[in-house]
Amino acid sequence: EEAPPPDIMRVNSGLLCARRRLGGRREFTGTSQRMKRYTKSGSPGHGWYEKYKKFGPDSFRRWERPKPFDFDAADAQVLGKRTYCFFDIGVAESKVGRIEFELLDELLPVTCENFKLLCSGFAPSGFRYKGSHFIRLMARGAAIMGGDVATAGGSHSAWKQRYYADEGFFVPHSQAGILSSANAGIDTNGSQFYITLKECPHMDGRCVAFGRVATGYDVITGLIKDVYMQRGIPTKSITILDAGLAQNPHASSIKTSSSAHSPSSFAAAATAA
């Protein structure tokens, strides 16, 4: 009786599983029985090659790299209308300092409104930053992450729906202190945020940067220095003891309504949403 051909002989079950996974066939040549893999659509990566041949290198570019952005280049009217928010930070319930943020309302109004509502406590979803924690130091000390406001942990927007869409990738993560939305993929922005600790070009086109740390960056560096991180997770509770709206230092240069940032205006916005 003739022996079965080499491609039917199975040395172990791993080869059989690999063959089923590839959906192709295997051939053995010579005494060394070196294996050649074929798939129904050609060699692995063939689809990428065809896409490149048809559309060129632009077919692999998901986004345009943001241009350099100067926060202070706007005129006095724009600077005076930007919203400032604050976090009072505590370690193990003991206050260590305050961080203030400058938001780019004129450029990213929806993303900034989400952050403002979560800071002020007038979010239609009922969530707020007060009482939440900084939860992680990202790999290689790139950024610190916070904003888990949901009851069971996790991200939730200021509105009834859990996520909202990416508004735009206009501001590059080109320096420390950039305030940026954290997400779980395309159009999954909620309450979670990053504060960069250095230049993070890998976040450009993936996370919506919408502000910066105006004052209190030394509080953040103190947290990184003084609180031990075990695999990126703080061993002590870093809590946002209080959050709200802060005074815009440029507001005195323009005429603004005293009720522009009042609780009633946020309540009206919440009702409208």
Side-chain angles (χ1 to χ4, degrees):
E1 184 178 354
E2 294 185 3
D7 62 336
I8 296 179
M9 299 175 62
R10 305 297 174 201
V11 179
N12 55 45
S13 60
L15 287 175
L16 178 60
C17 294
R19 179 183 179 185
R20 290 173 177 169
R21 187 166 58 250
L22 289 172
R25 70 178 191 278
R26 300 175 182 276
E27 291 185 358
F28 297 88
T29 58
T31 56
S32 62
Q33 291 189 345
R34 287 182 296 182
M35 183 172 57
K36 293 182 179 180
R37 299 181 179 180
Y38 297 89
T39 62
K40 295 178 181 179
S41 60
S43 61
H46 183 73
W48 292 95
Y49 173 76
E50 289 295 327
K51 185 177 181 181
Y52 181 87
K53 186 169 67 173
K54 185 175 182 180
F55 300 107
D58 287 340
S59 60
F60 297 95
R61 187 175 293 120
R62 292 180 54 249
W63 47 272
E64 294 292 338
R65 184 173 296 278
K67 297 178 181 179
F69 186 85
D70 187 356
F71 281 81
D72 301 317
D75 57 34
Q77 290 287 329
V78 174
L79 291 175
K81 291 180 180 179
R82 286 179 180 171
T83 303
Y84 279 66
C85 300
F86 73 87
F87 287 163
D88 284 336
I89 306 298
V91 176
E93 303 302 325
S94 177
K95 184 177 178 179
V96 296
R98 170 173 286 198
I99 307 170
E100 291 191 2
F101 303 98
E102 177 186 359
L103 308 185
L104 299 171
D105 303 77
E106 77 280 6
L107 192 62
L108 297 155
V110 175
T111 308
C112 292
E113 184 70 11
N114 176 72
F115 192 81
K116 287 189 292 184
L117 289 171
L118 290 169
C119 283
S120 65
F122 292 97
S125 62
F127 295 115
R128 63 186 307 177
Y129 284 132
K130 182 179 179 179
S132 64
H133 305 277
F134 282 88
I135 57 175
R136 184 177 294 276
L137 175 67
M138 306 311 293
R140 299 180 179 86
I144 190 169
M145 181 181 181
D148 270 3
V149 299
T151 305
S155 184
H156 199 292
S157 75
W159 301 285
K160 296 297 179 65
Q161 69 274 19
R162 182 171 185 180
Y163 299 127
Y164 64 96
D166 297 323
E167 192 171 7
F169 305 110
F170 306 126
V171 182
H173 299 77
S174 56
Q175 61 187 28
I178 295 294
L179 177 63
S180 183
S181 294
N183 58 57
I186 298 173
D187 296 338
T188 56
N189 298 285
S191 58
Q192 289 181 341
F193 59 85
Y194 295 121
I195 301 174
T196 62
L197 303 175
K198 59 182 180 180
E199 183 180 3
C200 299
H202 61 283
M203 294 170 65
D204 292 342
R206 293 175 173 82
C207 302
V208 179
F210 61 97
R212 66 172 175 176
V213 175
T215 60
Y217 185 75
D218 57 316
V219 176
I220 300 173
T221 55
L223 294 175
I224 304 303
K225 181 179 178 181
D226 298 336
V227 178
Y228 179 71
M229 305 284 178
Q230 186 174 20
R231 295 186 177 180
I233 300 175
T235 55
K236 295 181 181 179
S237 176
I238 304 175
T239 309
I240 300 175
L241 300 177
D242 196 11
L245 302 179
Q247 179 66 37
N248 184 334
H250 305 284
S252 58
S253 61
I254 63 171
K255 294 181 180 180
T256 57
S257 171
S258 60
S259 62
H261 291 155
S262 64
S264 60
S265 66
F266 280 103
T271 304

